[in-house]
Structure formats: C-alpha cells, structure tokens
Amino acid sequence: MYTSKIIGLGKFVPEHVVTNEDLSKVMDTSDEWIQERTGIKERRHIKKGDGNSTAVMGLKAARLAIERAQIDKDDIELIIFATLSPDYYFPGCGVQIQKELNIKTCPALDVRNQCSGFVYGLSVADQFIKTGMYKNVLVIGSENHSGGLDMTNRSRHVSVIFGDGAGAAILSRSDDESGILSSHLHSEGEYIDELSLRGPSTEKWVPEIIAENSQENIPYFPKMNGQVVFKHAVSRFSQVIEEGLKFNNLTKEDIDMFIPHQANLRISQFIQKKFGLKDDQVLNNIEKYGNTTAASIPIALTEAWEEGKIKKGDLVVMAAFGSGFTWGSVIIRW
C-alpha cells in the first residue's frame, strides 16, 4: 500500500476582527469572563457584503494549498469538504469548489462531522490514496459561524466561542515511509443533543429569519451543554491519542508537535499536561480565532508549518472532539 503525504497547506480568515470587548457591547459578558473560560481574546467574523462565505473561504485556502503543493488543479482527483455551515442546504460545498476551480468530473463529497470534520476528511483521503484509488486529494475545512449565532444573553456561553475561517491540505501519494501513519475515528450518538443546531443553513442568516417571522425559533441557534461537552472532550481526546500512539508502537515521548482542535484552551492545556508536553510542542491559536470547528486544525497546522514549528521527520499528532459526539486522531510522520 502507498503512503499519503501532505504536500501543500493553506488557510484563510476574514479581515474583520471581533474582540471580547466588542461582544460585551451586545451581551452581558466581559473580556475577563471569556478568557477565563475559553482562552479566547478575539475571533474573525465574515462582514456582510465582504464577499466571503463558507465555500469562498474554502476556495481561498485551497488555492494557496494548491500553489504551495506545486501541482496543477487538474491533478486533483477527489475533493473532500468538511463543514457544518454550508452555503446551500444542498448541494454541498465540495461541488462549489469544483466549479470555481474549473475541475470537470472528479468526485466531490462533503463531511458533516463538525469539530472532527477535518480529521474525518483526512482519514477518508488517506484510505483512497493508500489503496491506490487516487493520487492527489484536496481536503478543506471551512466554517461560517457568525451568521447563525444568537448574539444575546440567552446564548452568550455559546456565541462568544465561535469564529469564521478555512484551512486546506493537499494529500498526495508517496512511496516513502513518511506521511500519515494511521487515523482513528469514533462517534457516540447517545449525546447528539448535547451540542447541536436543529435549523437551516447559513445561506439565509438566522437573525433575518427570526425578524421576518416575528418569532424566537430557538432551534435555529446552536445550543451546548458545556459541562458535559468538556467532560467528554478531555476523556476522548486522551483516549484517541493513546490509541494512535499504541497502534504505531509509539509513546508520548515520541510526540514532536500536537495540534488539537481549538475548542477551549483549558481542554488543550489539560491534554498537554497529561501527556507531559512543553509549550513549544503544542500549537494553540484559539486566542486569535476562537473555535472555527472543521477549520481549526487545518488553520493551526498551516500556521505551525508556516512558522517552521514542524520539520521533516517530526511526529505530528492531531486530535479533535465535537458534536455528535464524534472524535478522532491522525498520526503523521512529517
């Protein structure tokens, strides 16, 4: 079997910065309250009219990843798009990317696994490449949260967390031993209602829907049982990382760089302490971007690579946990 290697990375975040102080003007919150509970100082939000959307941000990240991979867009044989906030209810963002890149008939699919979406997408791409089905796969994680958040006191514990952005990776077939060593995926549907949104897509903004219908349709907004999510996150993060290390006969001492899903700084710090990792072995950027769900790992991975924090031969561990509940890890020899 072949090995799949990441040969190009890209990210995009909107220019519009929303600080904790900005949020304190529209709901009963404060910079101190938000930082203490999440570690977030600011996040990026799409500004209506700036031309961005889930697919557009994903496209911008993808074009950068393709350029850095030094391949032609027509070399891409499969597009995988991870998001919980598609531009359309259907079709998915994958075919939008295909259209904008002018790639004629390659398959395109969407992954709806929320915070674990990019990890699931990498795993799917890895399997197709390892079996020889495809040579080059584009994997994107992109989210437009801002249009569907309830910016009132009713949802302040949720709405302060999320930001917009996108990240992308090109996976390519390799014959050497570096690349993705393994991926490990899980879900537990028993907790489906602990973190969920039972409403429309973000093509029509939730505040507009409510204004037009003169109603408070709560299912349009995301809800979260923070204590339950936190409890399960710290447990599942640890388990799925240990699973990946054990599968590859590795130990925590072998980890060179850990890139967690940027859900909550306290969760990342808990995992860092448990695995005995130094600050320079963990990439945290939640203070700048908030939780960008499926986009958080590819954005963080791209920044780690751009800043020279990952070098050839390093063992890179990525892990995510989120709504579903779903969780997973990917172990990479860079």
Side-chain angles (χ1 to χ4, degrees):
M1 295 176 68
Y2 298 102
T3 301
S4 54
K5 181 183 292 188
I6 294 176
I7 63 169
L9 290 164
K11 72 173 179 32
F12 175 83
V13 293
E15 293 183 0
H16 181 50
V17 177
V18 178
T19 66
N20 293 342
E21 288 82 1
D22 292 331
L23 294 181
S24 71
K25 297 173 184 177
V26 296
M27 64 181 77
D28 184 14
T29 191
S30 68
D31 177 59
E32 181 182 8
W33 191 90
I34 296 171
Q35 286 203 53
E36 180 183 343
R37 288 160 177 78
T38 69
I40 300 168
K41 297 179 181 179
E42 60 186 39
R43 71 286 293 145
R44 304 296 182 95
H45 282 178
I46 289 174
K47 203 167 186 178
K48 196 163 188 183
D50 69 3
N52 287 308
S53 70
T54 299
V56 170
M57 291 189 296
L59 177 66
K60 291 174 180 178
R63 282 177 168 154
L64 182 56
I66 293 168
E67 177 185 340
R68 288 172 167 174
Q70 298 183 332
I71 65 170
D72 188 273
K73 49 94 176 175
D74 290 320
D75 293 328
I76 295 170
E77 297 173 309
L78 170 65
I79 298 169
I80 300 174
F81 199 113
T83 188
L84 63 75
S85 52
D87 290 5
Y88 299 167
Y89 194 81
F90 67 84
C93 291
V95 292
Q96 290 180 263
I97 298 298
Q98 182 182 25
K99 174 188 175 184
E100 295 304 319
L101 290 177
N102 193 27
I103 300 174
K104 295 302 180 185
T105 59
C106 85
L109 62 89
D110 283 35
V111 173
R112 296 294 299 275
N113 284 82
Q114 298 66 248
C115 297
S116 303
F118 189 76
V119 166
Y120 268 70
L122 283 182
S123 181
V124 171
D126 182 43
Q127 310 314 311
F128 274 119
I129 290 175
K130 280 182 174 175
T131 58
M133 184 74 176
Y134 300 120
K135 184 177 180 181
N136 298 302
V137 180
L138 168 61
V139 184
I140 300 169
S142 182
E143 301 290 4
N144 168 15
H145 284 297
S146 60
L149 295 175
D150 181 7
M151 292 298 187
T152 70
N153 288 338
R154 179 180 53 219
S155 297
R156 65 173 185 158
H157 66 294
V158 177
S159 297
V160 301
I161 296 171
F162 295 101
D164 304 338
I170 300 291
L171 271 69
S172 187
R173 184 189 302 167
S174 174
D175 293 319
D176 61 37
E177 296 182 355
S178 62
I180 294 179
L181 303 182
S182 65
S183 58
H184 307 269
L185 308 177
H186 299 273
S187 66
E188 194 170 11
E190 177 184 352
Y191 300 98
I192 191 170
D193 287 323
E194 302 298 343
L195 176 53
S196 63
L197 187 155
R198 302 177 73 167
S201 77
T202 57
E203 185 184 26
K204 191 163 189 177
W205 300 60
V206 173
E208 293 175 340
I209 295 173
I210 292 176
E212 289 175 6
N213 293 278
S214 300
Q215 63 183 2
E216 293 285 315
N217 199 335
I218 302 304
Y220 283 161
F221 290 122
K223 65 175 185 176
M224 178 176 67
N225 185 332
Q227 291 183 337
V228 172
V229 172
F230 187 95
K231 177 183 175 181
H232 281 265
V234 295
S235 173
R236 299 308 191 185
F237 259 108
S238 299
Q239 291 171 8
V240 81
I241 293 168
E242 290 169 350
E243 179 184 0
L245 294 173
K246 183 178 180 181
F247 181 85
N248 292 285
N249 297 314
L250 298 166
T251 68
K252 60 184 181 181
E253 287 75 25
D254 294 309
I255 298 173
D256 295 297
M257 176 58 65
F258 173 48
I259 299 181
H261 161 58
Q262 307 293 307
N264 185 304
L265 186 59
R266 291 189 297 155
I267 295 174
S268 297
Q269 290 172 335
F270 180 92
I271 301 302
Q272 177 181 345
K273 182 177 180 180
K274 179 169 183 175
F275 283 85
L277 301 174
K278 300 176 183 177
D279 288 346
D280 61 1
Q281 291 177 286
V282 183
L283 198 294
N284 287 312
N285 61 10
I286 191 171
E287 72 280 0
K288 297 188 295 182
Y289 305 126
N291 181 348
T292 56
T293 312
S296 77
I297 284 183
I299 289 174
L301 180 62
T302 300
E303 290 196 340
W305 175 79
E306 289 174 340
E307 295 167 12
K309 294 180 178 179
I310 302 175
K311 61 183 183 298
K312 184 175 176 58
D314 280 353
L315 187 75
V316 179
V317 175
M318 295 180 283
F321 173 90
S323 172
F325 290 144
T326 65
W327 64 97
S329 64
V330 177
I331 314 295
I332 300 178
R333 180 66 69 186
W334 204 261

